[in-house]
Amino acid sequence: MFSQPPDHEKIITIERHILSEQQSHPEATGVLTSILYDLALVGKVIASQTTRGGLAEILGRTGNTNVQGEQVMKLDVLADRMVYRLNDHTGRLAVMASEEQEGIMNIPEEYSPGKYVLVYDPLDGSSNIDYNVSIGTIFAVYRRKSHSGPGTLDDCLQKARDLVVAGYLIYGASTMLVYTSGMGVHGFTLDPSVGEFLLTHSNIHTPQQAKYYSVNQGYEYYWSEGVRRFTHFLQGRDSLTKGLPLRYIGSMVADFHRNLLAGGIFYYPADTKDPRYTQGKMRLLYEAGPLAFIAEQAGGYGSNGMQSILEIQPTSLHQRTPLFIGNRPLVEKAEEFIRQYDLVRE
Ligand code: AFP
């Protein structure tokens, strides 16, 4: 007689997983589920381009700079357009915002606007493209706040605490999609031979014991006293703790992903090196917010050094923030050092 395979032998595609999550929300209409499928498709399309990254027609800079004043690579432009074009006509989104675009991105008039909002960083870590280092796409979905018509800037400027879905795609040795809809963090690996994302990392919990710290130590000279002392603490220089090994890729998605699985902290503090980064380098809306939402779902924490990233109300699309993210006790330790050494007492 035929017997059902045990749970650990089940092959769970992303479609099957999302549908089973949807079933635990009887009120769900399936729209959010479809947005996730759309984003999985985005991942497959961008991955198909990044794996061809060494090819001449893809590589090379466009010669333009993005709204942050940074050099834009060809693949950024491609990924940016791809995310928009795969989502502009579905009737599921009211508006989008991308790290690569100055203003909000409206849905073309011929399509009806939907009830969700998508904000994204199409290709994080793009300065690494030339060197075949892992890069990623970060995405986040909110419910629209406006009631009808085209989505607005206010629809995009929401606290990360109100996110409905956050996730990222990482294009590395393999392509992975990691997401949370507030019911745990789940990771899927793309099987390129069949073109499917399969569940490989169910219900990710970041290990309690940190294994790494990740920061661009080259900028230490430009940090505040609190951040410097916190780093010395991580290195075990106070002799109370054993030092942690440093791992820094310079692609936040890749650094975050490693620390999520291995345990650790990533930080990019404010610095005095670059006038643009006195408020930190990371973008609240496209990078810090979504990753902080994921971190919290995995038992970690994201902070700007003073408060939870999830509670910060964005006031502009490209707002930057200092970021400390990963194991909760370490992030709280960073807050402690900052409180002690950096905050001006009244
Ligand atoms: P790019 O997309 O311009 O490469 O920036 C990536 C990023 O925002 C983040 O992914 C990295 O962690 C960080 O910058 C690296 O910045 P540094 O090169 O200053 O360390």
Side-chain angles (χ1 to χ4, degrees):
M1 204 178 93
F2 176 74
S3 59
Q4 295 291 332
D7 270 6
H8 68 272
E9 280 182 16
K10 284 184 179 153
I11 296 172
I12 302 185
T13 61
I14 194 162
E15 179 175 5
R16 179 174 174 187
H17 189 268
I18 295 171
L19 276 174
S20 79
E21 275 205 339
Q22 189 187 318
Q23 274 156 16
S24 51
H25 288 281
E27 74 291 354
T29 57
V31 173
L32 199 57
T33 303
S34 304
I35 293 175
L36 275 163
Y37 293 161
D38 298 339
L39 291 167
L41 176 61
V42 163
K44 289 181 206 173
V45 174
I46 297 179
S48 76
Q49 298 298 322
T50 55
T51 50
R52 301 172 65 234
L55 301 176
E57 78 271 19
I58 302 294
L59 276 182
R61 298 179 171 83
T62 57
N64 298 323
T65 51
N66 72 6
V67 289
Q68 318 283 344
E70 298 156 336
Q71 222 165 15
V72 176
M73 318 287 290
K74 237 182 184 171
L75 211 48
D76 298 48
V77 179
L78 213 112
D80 186 36
R81 291 200 188 132
M82 209 56 81
V83 181
Y84 180 76
R85 282 170 48 200
L86 288 169
N87 286 283
D88 67 350
H89 57 281
T90 60
R92 306 191 241 278
L93 298 176
V95 64
M96 289 181 250
S98 158
E99 193 214 300
E100 292 294 337
Q101 301 292 331
E102 188 153 5
I104 58 171
M105 300 157 82
N106 293 314
I107 300 300
E109 273 172 19
E110 62 264 40
Y111 306 117
S112 51
K115 56 181 180 179
Y116 290 100
V117 174
L118 174 66
V119 299
Y120 62 93
D121 179 354
L123 221 48
D124 179 70
S126 50
S127 55
N128 282 320
I129 291 172
D130 279 350
Y131 316 113
N132 202 4
V133 172
S134 299
I135 46 182
T137 300
I138 307 175
F139 55 85
V141 179
Y142 291 98
R143 269 188 200 88
R144 71 180 295 176
K145 293 198 298 186
S146 54
H147 299 294
S148 57
T152 63
L153 176 62
D154 266 0
D155 287 327
C156 298
L157 298 179
Q158 299 194 46
K159 290 182 186 173
R161 174 68 71 204
D162 296 328
L163 278 168
V164 186
V165 165
Y168 57 84
L169 288 138
I170 178 165
Y171 315 106
S174 58
T175 297
M176 280 192 72
L177 185 153
V178 176
Y179 88 94
T180 179
S181 59
M183 296 172 66
V185 181
H186 309 287
F188 301 80
T189 304
L190 182 65
D191 180 339
S193 58
V194 290
E196 269 292 352
F197 280 104
L198 303 178
L199 182 65
T200 46
H201 298 66
S202 176
N203 215 6
I204 299 170
H205 280 280
T206 193
Q208 282 301 305
Q209 188 59 47
K211 200 164 173 190
Y212 301 118
Y213 80 100
S214 310
V215 70
N216 192 333
Q217 192 99 33
Y219 303 152
E220 177 164 359
Y221 177 72
Y222 305 98
W223 295 339
S224 66
E225 177 73 8
V227 173
R228 256 200 297 264
R229 285 186 185 249
F230 170 62
T231 308
H232 296 168
F233 161 81
L234 293 174
Q235 294 168 332
R237 288 210 218 172
D238 61 3
S239 75
L240 297 175
T241 48
K242 197 165 150 271
L244 288 176
L246 166 69
R247 292 282 187 284
Y248 188 72
I249 297 169
S251 266
M252 184 166 61
V253 172
D255 279 310
F256 176 84
H257 181 72
R258 183 201 51 244
N259 291 357
L260 180 75
L261 299 181
I265 181 170
F266 169 93
Y267 49 111
Y268 205 112
D271 62 48
T272 55
K273 172 184 63 67
D274 185 324
R276 289 173 305 167
Y277 301 161
T278 53
Q279 296 305 313
K281 183 183 183 192
M282 297 303 148
R283 292 73 169 178
L284 177 59
L285 207 59
Y286 313 108
E287 299 174 308
L291 295 189
F293 189 71
I294 297 169
E296 200 158 287
Q297 279 292 313
Y301 176 43
S303 167
N304 68 354
M306 288 174 290
Q307 67 170 131
S308 166
I309 290 286
L310 301 187
E311 304 305 339
I312 303 174
Q313 172 63 52
T315 52
S316 65
L317 285 178
H318 298 286
Q319 186 172 336
R320 294 179 191 270
T321 178
L323 177 64
F324 300 81
I325 193 164
N327 279 57
R328 181 172 277 276
L330 286 186
V331 176
E332 286 176 348
K333 197 75 189 168
E335 290 180 328
E336 207 180 297
F337 274 97
I338 287 168
R339 239 184 343 262
Q340 189 176 351
Y341 293 100
D342 297 346
L343 295 185
V344 184
R345 289 177 193 86
E346 297 288 298

